[in-house]
Amino acid sequence: MFGSTATPMGPEPVFLDLQDTPMFKNTVDDLQASAKKLKDKCTGLLTGAKKYRDALAAMTEAQQSFAGALHDFGCGSDEDSLLLGSAVMSQFVKAFKELGHAFSFIQDCVEKDMIDVLQQTWLDGHLAVLREEVRKYEKRCNDHEGARLKHLALKKVTKRDVIDKSAAELSVARQAADEARYELARHLNTVEVQKRHAFLTMVVGVVYQHLAFFRQGSTLLGRIEGPYSDAMAIVEHVCKEGQTKEVRRGG
């Protein structure tokens, strides 16, 4: 049986040419627009993730509070607690507490793997740096254009030292513009390459923690099935006992 010999192709390069051409500028404009959309998407997801984190925190607190209240109600060793079913109720309390801890694990994952990544790595990191590089690129391009026009405006009768000084200033401005263009291209390329896997990796991490939560929940259900059956048997026995006593009294 023959397998495919084709090798997976890597992503196409973002910039085919770094020269200061109309094609380069068009590519920069397109990638800037894409980065702005990405910023809006990150901001929206960040807002949703924070709401989810807060809801998980509230659920964790409520779960632990409920478990504590249930423990105080019927998990003592006194006679009244024993009559209320403390022997099996303590098993339920333990399960509720563990479930609360499981909620807290999801909360921590959403905080570290999603909220921190969106805020620190992207909004305050890659995208903030990119905005600064765009500002720097535009300023240096304007400086270069100003130096170029100033140099072209010099007349032939201008003194040689003035022409030489202007040419040196133009050279420095051109070099600064070139460096800003290369840096901008580098950061745009970083954003384009990183976003192809970083966000999926982030979401996969959160989904994995949910899968772990459900697996733990399934394990907890398996552990309390026995105590649940015991509790139901006790309830049925006590109810039948009560009904028998009522019949005897009626007779």
Side-chain angles (χ1 to χ4, degrees):
M1 190 172 180
F2 298 95
S4 173
T5 58
T7 57
M9 296 179 65
E12 294 183 3
V14 177
F15 292 97
L16 299 176
D17 189 355
L18 293 182
Q19 296 301 314
D20 188 16
T21 61
M23 179 179 292
F24 177 87
K25 292 177 180 178
N26 287 337
T27 303
V28 167
D29 289 342
D30 290 343
L31 294 178
Q32 275 187 260
S34 177
K36 288 178 181 177
K37 290 180 181 178
L38 181 60
K39 177 178 178 293
D40 292 340
K41 286 177 176 289
C42 287
T43 301
L45 181 55
L46 179 63
T47 299
K50 286 181 176 179
K51 288 182 179 179
Y52 187 38
R53 173 204 59 192
D54 294 344
L56 287 167
M59 188 61 196
T60 300
E61 183 178 352
Q63 194 82 31
Q64 296 295 348
S65 177
F66 175 65
L70 191 58
H71 178 274
D72 294 342
F73 174 77
C75 290
S77 57
D78 57 284
E79 186 176 349
D80 288 340
S81 295
L82 291 173
L83 289 173
L84 291 172
S86 62
V88 291
M89 203 173 294
S90 60
Q91 299 297 316
F92 300 149
V93 169
K94 184 178 179 181
F96 281 125
K97 285 184 176 180
E98 289 189 30
L99 197 59
H101 288 308
F103 275 120
S104 70
F105 291 146
I106 297 179
Q107 177 193 340
D108 290 342
C109 179
V110 171
E111 180 77 45
K112 296 174 182 177
D113 295 349
M114 183 167 284
I115 293 175
D116 288 351
V117 169
L118 288 169
Q119 187 69 66
Q120 298 173 16
T121 304
W122 287 94
L123 292 174
D124 296 340
H126 293 313
L127 297 176
V129 170
L130 183 57
R131 288 196 302 274
E132 178 60 23
E133 290 300 327
V134 170
R135 186 197 63 78
K136 188 186 300 182
Y137 167 70
E138 291 175 346
K139 181 180 183 302
R140 290 186 176 177
C141 283
N142 289 334
D143 290 345
H144 173 245
E145 181 64 12
R148 188 182 71 84
L149 294 176
K150 179 181 176 182
H151 186 70
L152 290 176
L154 294 177
K155 297 181 179 180
K156 294 181 180 179
V157 294
T158 304
K159 294 181 179 179
R160 171 52 57 184
D161 59 336
V162 174
I163 294 176
D164 291 343
K165 181 181 178 183
S166 176
E169 291 174 349
L170 176 58
S171 178
V172 170
R174 182 185 297 112
Q175 183 177 355
D178 287 343
E179 290 175 355
R181 187 171 69 256
Y182 299 150
E183 278 300 296
L184 176 58
R186 185 171 70 84
H187 285 288
L188 284 168
N189 186 73
T190 296
V191 169
E192 287 301 305
V193 170
Q194 289 288 324
K195 76 179 186 181
R196 291 171 185 172
H197 63 82
F199 294 107
L200 186 57
T201 300
M202 174 187 70
V203 174
V204 165
V206 174
V207 170
Y208 175 81
Q209 192 59 56
H210 282 74
L211 291 175
F213 170 82
F214 290 121
R215 281 195 294 266
Q216 185 173 357
S218 178
T219 301
L220 285 173
L221 286 175
R223 277 171 35 198
I224 65 174
E225 276 183 336
Y228 173 79
S229 298
D230 292 342
M232 290 302 298
I234 292 172
V235 169
E236 290 177 8
H237 175 74
V238 172
C239 287
K240 286 181 180 179
E241 217 175 42
Q243 291 172 356
T244 301
K245 290 181 180 179
E246 287 295 327
V247 169
R248 286 176 182 175
R249 287 176 186 172

